[in-house]
Every structure is written in structure tokens, then in C-alpha cells.
Amino acid sequence: DCRMAAEQLKNNPRHKAYLEGVSLHQLRKLYSLLKGHLAGESLAEGLKTFRQEETIDPEEDMNKLDDKELAKRKRIMDELFEKNRKKKDDPDFIYDIEVEFPQDEQLESCGWDVESGEEV
């Protein structure tokens, strides 16, 4: 697993001084490219494979994935969330954002939100 190998390398006390400026993402990418190279892939093929492994297909049915693949997708989503999340210390952080949505179009009603005479 490239992720585990990169974490072990980054956390190794012998290499810590050399790798403190290198992100874990870069190390995972390096391991993935090396793994692909050893399997006979070109650099372009390795980069394409890495991009596919590190992105989420919105059309993919995650209900059909096994536990290992689902955990991988969740890890990718968590990393993307943390990367895009605004924190209190960020210079462009705004606590209470109010957004006005345009009401130009006719709203569509849904069958599930229509009240019926039956009580639950």
C-alpha cells in the first residue's frame, strides 16, 4: 500500500529531517509512480493511474464497493473536505454567511413533501 509506505517513510526518525518539507501526498504519489514503473508503466500512464485513484467519480455507485475500496473513497473525500474547509484562522473566514437564492423560476413540488390527510 503506497499510503502506508509513505507514512512509514515520513515518520521514520532517520528520514524525518530530510522529509519534513515534503507532504504526505507527494510521497504517496512518488510511491505510486515507482510502483507503476516497476510494473512497466510509463510516466504518463502512472500519472493517469494516480489521478484515477485519488479522485472520486460522482456517478460511481459506492453501495457496490467492498469495505477496502469504500474506506479508500471516504479517505479521499475526508482529505478533500479538510483541504477546502475554512477555519477560524483563515484570513477570508466569515462566521455567518447569508445567501439569497434567486426565485425567478417556478418552484417544483415533490410528492413526498405534500401533506396528506393521513397521520403517521
PDB file of all heavy atoms in Angstrom, residues 63-91:
ATOM      1  N   ASN A  63     -22.406   1.879  -3.124  1.00  0.00           N
ATOM      2  CA  ASN A  63     -23.045   0.771  -2.418  1.00  0.00           C
ATOM      3  C   ASN A  63     -22.516  -0.575  -2.900  1.00  0.00           C
ATOM      4  O   ASN A  63     -22.640  -1.579  -2.205  1.00  0.00           O
ATOM      5  CB  ASN A  63     -24.560   0.811  -2.611  1.00  0.00           C
ATOM      6  CG  ASN A  63     -25.192   1.972  -1.888  1.00  0.00           C
ATOM      7  OD1 ASN A  63     -24.806   2.304  -0.770  1.00  0.00           O
ATOM      8  ND2 ASN A  63     -26.149   2.612  -2.530  1.00  0.00           N
ATOM      9  N   LYS A  64     -21.921  -0.591  -4.081  1.00  0.00           N
ATOM     10  CA  LYS A  64     -21.424  -1.841  -4.647  1.00  0.00           C
ATOM     11  C   LYS A  64     -19.955  -2.092  -4.353  1.00  0.00           C
ATOM     12  O   LYS A  64     -19.402  -3.097  -4.779  1.00  0.00           O
ATOM     13  CB  LYS A  64     -21.644  -1.836  -6.164  1.00  0.00           C
ATOM     14  CG  LYS A  64     -23.107  -1.801  -6.539  1.00  0.00           C
ATOM     15  CD  LYS A  64     -23.302  -1.776  -8.030  1.00  0.00           C
ATOM     16  CE  LYS A  64     -24.787  -1.716  -8.363  1.00  0.00           C
ATOM     17  NZ  LYS A  64     -25.010  -1.642  -9.794  1.00  0.00           N
ATOM     18  N   LEU A  65     -19.286  -1.184  -3.611  1.00  0.00           N
ATOM     19  CA  LEU A  65     -17.863  -1.331  -3.315  1.00  0.00           C
ATOM     20  C   LEU A  65     -17.647  -2.218  -2.098  1.00  0.00           C
ATOM     21  O   LEU A  65     -18.488  -2.280  -1.204  1.00  0.00           O
ATOM     22  CB  LEU A  65     -17.235   0.039  -3.043  1.00  0.00           C
ATOM     23  CG  LEU A  65     -17.247   1.039  -4.196  1.00  0.00           C
ATOM     24  CD1 LEU A  65     -16.704   2.369  -3.728  1.00  0.00           C
ATOM     25  CD2 LEU A  65     -16.447   0.518  -5.369  1.00  0.00           C
ATOM     26  N   ASP A  66     -16.497  -2.896  -2.076  1.00  0.00           N
ATOM     27  CA  ASP A  66     -16.150  -3.664  -0.881  1.00  0.00           C
ATOM     28  C   ASP A  66     -15.638  -2.693   0.192  1.00  0.00           C
ATOM     29  O   ASP A  66     -15.458  -1.499  -0.058  1.00  0.00           O
ATOM     30  CB  ASP A  66     -15.114  -4.745  -1.198  1.00  0.00           C
ATOM     31  CG  ASP A  66     -13.798  -4.189  -1.714  1.00  0.00           C
ATOM     32  OD1 ASP A  66     -13.699  -2.970  -1.901  1.00  0.00           O
ATOM     33  OD2 ASP A  66     -12.873  -4.987  -1.928  1.00  0.00           O
ATOM     34  N   ASP A  67     -15.424  -3.192   1.397  1.00  0.00           N
ATOM     35  CA  ASP A  67     -15.057  -2.329   2.525  1.00  0.00           C
ATOM     36  C   ASP A  67     -13.744  -1.584   2.298  1.00  0.00           C
ATOM     37  O   ASP A  67     -13.609  -0.413   2.666  1.00  0.00           O
ATOM     38  CB  ASP A  67     -14.972  -3.152   3.815  1.00  0.00           C
ATOM     39  CG  ASP A  67     -16.333  -3.628   4.277  1.00  0.00           C
ATOM     40  OD1 ASP A  67     -17.342  -3.057   3.833  1.00  0.00           O
ATOM     41  OD2 ASP A  67     -16.388  -4.576   5.090  1.00  0.00           O
ATOM     42  N   LYS A  68     -12.764  -2.244   1.684  1.00  0.00           N
ATOM     43  CA  LYS A  68     -11.461  -1.617   1.462  1.00  0.00           C
ATOM     44  C   LYS A  68     -11.565  -0.447   0.487  1.00  0.00           C
ATOM     45  O   LYS A  68     -11.032   0.631   0.732  1.00  0.00           O
ATOM     46  CB  LYS A  68     -10.477  -2.668   0.937  1.00  0.00           C
ATOM     47  CG  LYS A  68      -9.073  -2.160   0.767  1.00  0.00           C
ATOM     48  CD  LYS A  68      -8.148  -3.250   0.279  1.00  0.00           C
ATOM     49  CE  LYS A  68      -6.753  -2.719   0.044  1.00  0.00           C
ATOM     50  NZ  LYS A  68      -5.844  -3.739  -0.462  1.00  0.00           N
ATOM     51  N   GLU A  69     -12.263  -0.653  -0.622  1.00  0.00           N
ATOM     52  CA  GLU A  69     -12.436   0.415  -1.616  1.00  0.00           C
ATOM     53  C   GLU A  69     -13.291   1.549  -1.067  1.00  0.00           C
ATOM     54  O   GLU A  69     -13.027   2.720  -1.331  1.00  0.00           O
ATOM     55  CB  GLU A  69     -13.054  -0.140  -2.899  1.00  0.00           C
ATOM     56  CG  GLU A  69     -12.097  -0.957  -3.726  1.00  0.00           C
ATOM     57  CD  GLU A  69     -10.931  -0.128  -4.244  1.00  0.00           C
ATOM     58  OE1 GLU A  69     -11.159   0.992  -4.748  1.00  0.00           O
ATOM     59  OE2 GLU A  69      -9.789  -0.587  -4.127  1.00  0.00           O
ATOM     60  N   LEU A  70     -14.321   1.217  -0.280  1.00  0.00           N
ATOM     61  CA  LEU A  70     -15.165   2.246   0.315  1.00  0.00           C
ATOM     62  C   LEU A  70     -14.372   3.098   1.302  1.00  0.00           C
ATOM     63  O   LEU A  70     -14.494   4.325   1.313  1.00  0.00           O
ATOM     64  CB  LEU A  70     -16.369   1.611   1.012  1.00  0.00           C
ATOM     65  CG  LEU A  70     -17.390   2.582   1.587  1.00  0.00           C
ATOM     66  CD1 LEU A  70     -17.982   3.447   0.484  1.00  0.00           C
ATOM     67  CD2 LEU A  70     -18.481   1.825   2.321  1.00  0.00           C
ATOM     68  N   ALA A  71     -13.526   2.460   2.101  1.00  0.00           N
ATOM     69  CA  ALA A  71     -12.678   3.204   3.044  1.00  0.00           C
ATOM     70  C   ALA A  71     -11.720   4.126   2.294  1.00  0.00           C
ATOM     71  O   ALA A  71     -11.458   5.247   2.730  1.00  0.00           O
ATOM     72  CB  ALA A  71     -11.912   2.230   3.931  1.00  0.00           C
ATOM     73  N   LYS A  72     -11.227   3.666   1.158  1.00  0.00           N
ATOM     74  CA  LYS A  72     -10.330   4.485   0.341  1.00  0.00           C
ATOM     75  C   LYS A  72     -11.062   5.720  -0.184  1.00  0.00           C
ATOM     76  O   LYS A  72     -10.538   6.835  -0.135  1.00  0.00           O
ATOM     77  CB  LYS A  72      -9.802   3.642  -0.820  1.00  0.00           C
ATOM     78  CG  LYS A  72      -8.830   4.343  -1.713  1.00  0.00           C
ATOM     79  CD  LYS A  72      -8.352   3.394  -2.797  1.00  0.00           C
ATOM     80  CE  LYS A  72      -7.539   4.081  -3.836  1.00  0.00           C
ATOM     81  NZ  LYS A  72      -7.138   3.195  -4.920  1.00  0.00           N
ATOM     82  N   ARG A  73     -12.292   5.539  -0.674  1.00  0.00           N
ATOM     83  CA  ARG A  73     -13.081   6.666  -1.194  1.00  0.00           C
ATOM     84  C   ARG A  73     -13.396   7.658  -0.067  1.00  0.00           C
ATOM     85  O   ARG A  73     -13.332   8.869  -0.255  1.00  0.00           O
ATOM     86  CB  ARG A  73     -14.396   6.194  -1.818  1.00  0.00           C
ATOM     87  CG  ARG A  73     -14.294   5.235  -2.984  1.00  0.00           C
ATOM     88  CD  ARG A  73     -13.587   5.810  -4.169  1.00  0.00           C
ATOM     89  NE  ARG A  73     -13.730   5.040  -5.366  1.00  0.00           N
ATOM     90  CZ  ARG A  73     -13.161   3.859  -5.615  1.00  0.00           C
ATOM     91  NH1 ARG A  73     -12.415   3.279  -4.705  1.00  0.00           N
ATOM     92  NH2 ARG A  73     -13.326   3.234  -6.765  1.00  0.00           N
ATOM     93  N   LYS A  74     -13.725   7.128   1.113  1.00  0.00           N
ATOM     94  CA  LYS A  74     -14.016   8.001   2.249  1.00  0.00           C
ATOM     95  C   LYS A  74     -12.783   8.795   2.659  1.00  0.00           C
ATOM     96  O   LYS A  74     -12.889   9.971   3.006  1.00  0.00           O
ATOM     97  CB  LYS A  74     -14.533   7.186   3.435  1.00  0.00           C
ATOM     98  CG  LYS A  74     -15.950   6.706   3.245  1.00  0.00           C
ATOM     99  CD  LYS A  74     -16.426   5.956   4.469  1.00  0.00           C
ATOM    100  CE  LYS A  74     -17.866   5.519   4.335  1.00  0.00           C
ATOM    101  NZ  LYS A  74     -18.327   4.812   5.533  1.00  0.00           N
ATOM    102  N   ARG A  75     -11.608   8.174   2.622  1.00  0.00           N
ATOM    103  CA  ARG A  75     -10.364   8.865   2.950  1.00  0.00           C
ATOM    104  C   ARG A  75     -10.128  10.010   1.969  1.00  0.00           C
ATOM    105  O   ARG A  75      -9.768  11.118   2.358  1.00  0.00           O
ATOM    106  CB  ARG A  75      -9.186   7.892   2.928  1.00  0.00           C
ATOM    107  CG  ARG A  75      -7.842   8.573   3.187  1.00  0.00           C
ATOM    108  CD  ARG A  75      -6.683   7.638   2.977  1.00  0.00           C
ATOM    109  NE  ARG A  75      -6.653   6.967   1.692  1.00  0.00           N
ATOM    110  CZ  ARG A  75      -6.213   7.512   0.553  1.00  0.00           C
ATOM    111  NH1 ARG A  75      -5.784   8.751   0.537  1.00  0.00           N
ATOM    112  NH2 ARG A  75      -6.214   6.829  -0.574  1.00  0.00           N
ATOM    113  N   ILE A  76     -10.371   9.749   0.688  1.00  0.00           N
ATOM    114  CA  ILE A  76     -10.185  10.788  -0.339  1.00  0.00           C
ATOM    115  C   ILE A  76     -11.161  11.943  -0.094  1.00  0.00           C
ATOM    116  O   ILE A  76     -10.780  13.117  -0.160  1.00  0.00           O
ATOM    117  CB  ILE A  76     -10.374  10.198  -1.750  1.00  0.00           C
ATOM    118  CG1 ILE A  76      -9.251   9.214  -2.062  1.00  0.00           C
ATOM    119  CG2 ILE A  76     -10.444  11.295  -2.800  1.00  0.00           C
ATOM    120  CD1 ILE A  76      -9.495   8.380  -3.307  1.00  0.00           C
ATOM    121  N   MET A  77     -12.416  11.628   0.227  1.00  0.00           N
ATOM    122  CA  MET A  77     -13.399  12.674   0.490  1.00  0.00           C
ATOM    123  C   MET A  77     -13.036  13.470   1.741  1.00  0.00           C
ATOM    124  O   MET A  77     -13.174  14.692   1.769  1.00  0.00           O
ATOM    125  CB  MET A  77     -14.794  12.072   0.630  1.00  0.00           C
ATOM    126  CG  MET A  77     -15.371  11.601  -0.694  1.00  0.00           C
ATOM    127  SD  MET A  77     -17.097  11.105  -0.593  1.00  0.00           S
ATOM    128  CE  MET A  77     -16.947   9.479   0.105  1.00  0.00           C
ATOM    129  N   ASP A  78     -12.547  12.792   2.788  1.00  0.00           N
ATOM    130  CA  ASP A  78     -12.136  13.491   4.009  1.00  0.00           C
ATOM    131  C   ASP A  78     -10.971  14.433   3.743  1.00  0.00           C
ATOM    132  O   ASP A  78     -10.946  15.566   4.241  1.00  0.00           O
ATOM    133  CB  ASP A  78     -11.755  12.488   5.104  1.00  0.00           C
ATOM    134  CG  ASP A  78     -12.959  11.774   5.694  1.00  0.00           C
ATOM    135  OD1 ASP A  78     -14.087  12.275   5.522  1.00  0.00           O
ATOM    136  OD2 ASP A  78     -12.758  10.711   6.325  1.00  0.00           O
ATOM    137  N   GLU A  79      -9.993  13.973   2.958  1.00  0.00           N
ATOM    138  CA  GLU A  79      -8.842  14.826   2.630  1.00  0.00           C
ATOM    139  C   GLU A  79      -9.278  16.039   1.816  1.00  0.00           C
ATOM    140  O   GLU A  79      -8.815  17.157   2.058  1.00  0.00           O
ATOM    141  CB  GLU A  79      -7.793  14.028   1.860  1.00  0.00           C
ATOM    142  CG  GLU A  79      -7.053  13.029   2.703  1.00  0.00           C
ATOM    143  CD  GLU A  79      -6.114  12.149   1.891  1.00  0.00           C
ATOM    144  OE1 GLU A  79      -6.036  12.304   0.652  1.00  0.00           O
ATOM    145  OE2 GLU A  79      -5.464  11.289   2.501  1.00  0.00           O
ATOM    146  N   LEU A  80     -10.182  15.838   0.868  1.00  0.00           N
ATOM    147  CA  LEU A  80     -10.683  16.952   0.064  1.00  0.00           C
ATOM    148  C   LEU A  80     -11.471  17.937   0.922  1.00  0.00           C
ATOM    149  O   LEU A  80     -11.341  19.157   0.773  1.00  0.00           O
ATOM    150  CB  LEU A  80     -11.550  16.423  -1.081  1.00  0.00           C
ATOM    151  CG  LEU A  80     -12.041  17.438  -2.087  1.00  0.00           C
ATOM    152  CD1 LEU A  80     -10.863  18.106  -2.791  1.00  0.00           C
ATOM    153  CD2 LEU A  80     -12.940  16.776  -3.104  1.00  0.00           C
ATOM    154  N   PHE A  81     -12.256  17.412   1.861  1.00  0.00           N
ATOM    155  CA  PHE A  81     -13.016  18.272   2.759  1.00  0.00           C
ATOM    156  C   PHE A  81     -12.075  19.127   3.606  1.00  0.00           C
ATOM    157  O   PHE A  81     -12.256  20.332   3.737  1.00  0.00           O
ATOM    158  CB  PHE A  81     -13.918  17.430   3.664  1.00  0.00           C
ATOM    159  CG  PHE A  81     -14.608  18.224   4.730  1.00  0.00           C
ATOM    160  CD1 PHE A  81     -15.717  18.990   4.432  1.00  0.00           C
ATOM    161  CD2 PHE A  81     -14.128  18.228   6.036  1.00  0.00           C
ATOM    162  CE1 PHE A  81     -16.339  19.745   5.414  1.00  0.00           C
ATOM    163  CE2 PHE A  81     -14.740  18.967   7.019  1.00  0.00           C
ATOM    164  CZ  PHE A  81     -15.854  19.728   6.709  1.00  0.00           C
ATOM    165  N   GLU A  82     -11.066  18.499   4.201  1.00  0.00           N
ATOM    166  CA  GLU A  82     -10.118  19.231   5.043  1.00  0.00           C
ATOM    167  C   GLU A  82      -9.341  20.272   4.238  1.00  0.00           C
ATOM    168  O   GLU A  82      -9.033  21.345   4.741  1.00  0.00           O
ATOM    169  CB  GLU A  82      -9.144  18.270   5.723  1.00  0.00           C
ATOM    170  CG  GLU A  82      -9.768  17.482   6.851  1.00  0.00           C
ATOM    171  CD  GLU A  82     -10.318  18.348   7.975  1.00  0.00           C
ATOM    172  OE1 GLU A  82      -9.701  19.380   8.309  1.00  0.00           O
ATOM    173  OE2 GLU A  82     -11.375  17.997   8.510  1.00  0.00           O
ATOM    174  N   LYS A  83      -9.036  19.943   2.994  1.00  0.00           N
ATOM    175  CA  LYS A  83      -8.295  20.878   2.145  1.00  0.00           C
ATOM    176  C   LYS A  83      -9.137  22.118   1.849  1.00  0.00           C
ATOM    177  O   LYS A  83      -8.618  23.235   1.829  1.00  0.00           O
ATOM    178  CB  LYS A  83      -7.923  20.175   0.840  1.00  0.00           C
ATOM    179  CG  LYS A  83      -7.206  21.036  -0.162  1.00  0.00           C
ATOM    180  CD  LYS A  83      -6.919  20.246  -1.411  1.00  0.00           C
ATOM    181  CE  LYS A  83      -6.471  21.130  -2.542  1.00  0.00           C
ATOM    182  NZ  LYS A  83      -6.364  20.399  -3.798  1.00  0.00           N
ATOM    183  N   ASN A  84     -10.436  21.952   1.630  1.00  0.00           N
ATOM    184  CA  ASN A  84     -11.311  23.053   1.237  1.00  0.00           C
ATOM    185  C   ASN A  84     -12.012  23.736   2.410  1.00  0.00           C
ATOM    186  O   ASN A  84     -12.662  24.764   2.220  1.00  0.00           O
ATOM    187  CB  ASN A  84     -12.367  22.560   0.249  1.00  0.00           C
ATOM    188  CG  ASN A  84     -11.747  22.136  -1.050  1.00  0.00           C
ATOM    189  OD1 ASN A  84     -10.788  22.725  -1.511  1.00  0.00           O
ATOM    190  ND2 ASN A  84     -12.281  21.092  -1.638  1.00  0.00           N
ATOM    191  N   ARG A  85     -11.892  23.181   3.599  1.00  0.00           N
ATOM    192  CA  ARG A  85     -12.596  23.709   4.759  1.00  0.00           C
ATOM    193  C   ARG A  85     -12.013  25.055   5.192  1.00  0.00           C
ATOM    194  O   ARG A  85     -10.810  25.246   5.211  1.00  0.00           O
ATOM    195  CB  ARG A  85     -12.492  22.721   5.917  1.00  0.00           C
ATOM    196  CG  ARG A  85     -13.299  23.112   7.116  1.00  0.00           C
ATOM    197  CD  ARG A  85     -13.245  22.046   8.142  1.00  0.00           C
ATOM    198  NE  ARG A  85     -12.003  22.177   8.890  1.00  0.00           N
ATOM    199  CZ  ARG A  85     -11.860  21.761  10.138  1.00  0.00           C
ATOM    200  NH1 ARG A  85     -12.837  21.135  10.736  1.00  0.00           N
ATOM    201  NH2 ARG A  85     -10.717  21.910  10.752  1.00  0.00           N
ATOM    202  N   LYS A  86     -12.888  25.979   5.514  1.00  0.00           N
ATOM    203  CA  LYS A  86     -12.471  27.278   6.037  1.00  0.00           C
ATOM    204  C   LYS A  86     -12.381  27.163   7.556  1.00  0.00           C
ATOM    205  O   LYS A  86     -13.313  26.715   8.214  1.00  0.00           O
ATOM    206  CB  LYS A  86     -13.475  28.372   5.680  1.00  0.00           C
ATOM    207  CG  LYS A  86     -13.657  28.569   4.204  1.00  0.00           C
ATOM    208  CD  LYS A  86     -12.549  29.406   3.665  1.00  0.00           C
ATOM    209  CE  LYS A  86     -12.851  29.718   2.214  1.00  0.00           C
ATOM    210  NZ  LYS A  86     -11.734  30.112   1.475  1.00  0.00           N
ATOM    211  N   LYS A  87     -11.254  27.608   8.105  1.00  0.00           N
ATOM    212  CA  LYS A  87     -11.037  27.569   9.549  1.00  0.00           C
ATOM    213  C   LYS A  87     -11.101  28.985  10.104  1.00  0.00           C
ATOM    214  O   LYS A  87     -10.979  29.958   9.377  1.00  0.00           O
ATOM    215  CB  LYS A  87      -9.687  26.930   9.841  1.00  0.00           C
ATOM    216  CG  LYS A  87      -9.604  25.508   9.332  1.00  0.00           C
ATOM    217  CD  LYS A  87      -8.205  24.947   9.538  1.00  0.00           C
ATOM    218  CE  LYS A  87      -8.089  23.580   8.940  1.00  0.00           C
ATOM    219  NZ  LYS A  87      -7.697  23.575   7.556  1.00  0.00           N
ATOM    220  N   LYS A  88     -11.283  29.109  11.415  1.00  0.00           N
ATOM    221  CA  LYS A  88     -11.382  30.424  12.044  1.00  0.00           C
ATOM    222  C   LYS A  88     -10.143  31.274  11.792  1.00  0.00           C
ATOM    223  O   LYS A  88     -10.221  32.486  11.723  1.00  0.00           O
ATOM    224  CB  LYS A  88     -11.569  30.275  13.553  1.00  0.00           C
ATOM    225  CG  LYS A  88     -12.924  29.799  13.960  1.00  0.00           C
ATOM    226  CD  LYS A  88     -13.015  29.749  15.472  1.00  0.00           C
ATOM    227  CE  LYS A  88     -14.354  29.243  15.911  1.00  0.00           C
ATOM    228  NZ  LYS A  88     -14.460  29.194  17.380  1.00  0.00           N
ATOM    229  N   ASP A  89      -8.985  30.645  11.667  1.00  0.00           N
ATOM    230  CA  ASP A  89      -7.733  31.382  11.497  1.00  0.00           C
ATOM    231  C   ASP A  89      -7.497  31.848  10.058  1.00  0.00           C
ATOM    232  O   ASP A  89      -6.572  32.627   9.815  1.00  0.00           O
ATOM    233  CB  ASP A  89      -6.555  30.510  11.945  1.00  0.00           C
ATOM    234  CG  ASP A  89      -6.688  30.091  13.401  1.00  0.00           C
ATOM    235  OD1 ASP A  89      -7.367  30.806  14.156  1.00  0.00           O
ATOM    236  OD2 ASP A  89      -6.108  29.053  13.780  1.00  0.00           O
ATOM    237  N   ASP A  90      -8.291  31.369   9.113  1.00  0.00           N
ATOM    238  CA  ASP A  90      -8.115  31.767   7.715  1.00  0.00           C
ATOM    239  C   ASP A  90      -8.468  33.242   7.543  1.00  0.00           C
ATOM    240  O   ASP A  90      -9.425  33.737   8.154  1.00  0.00           O
ATOM    241  CB  ASP A  90      -8.999  30.915   6.793  1.00  0.00           C
ATOM    242  CG  ASP A  90      -8.542  29.475   6.708  1.00  0.00           C
ATOM    243  OD1 ASP A  90      -7.382  29.216   7.060  1.00  0.00           O
ATOM    244  OD2 ASP A  90      -9.352  28.619   6.302  1.00  0.00           O
ATOM    245  N   PRO A  91      -7.715  33.970   6.703  1.00  0.00           N
ATOM    246  CA  PRO A  91      -7.984  35.410   6.540  1.00  0.00           C
ATOM    247  C   PRO A  91      -9.342  35.704   5.898  1.00  0.00           C
ATOM    248  O   PRO A  91      -9.932  36.746   6.172  1.00  0.00           O
ATOM    249  CB  PRO A  91      -6.844  35.887   5.635  1.00  0.00           C
ATOM    250  CG  PRO A  91      -6.248  34.671   5.044  1.00  0.00           C
ATOM    251  CD  PRO A  91      -6.574  33.518   5.940  1.00  0.00           C
TER     252      PRO A  91
END
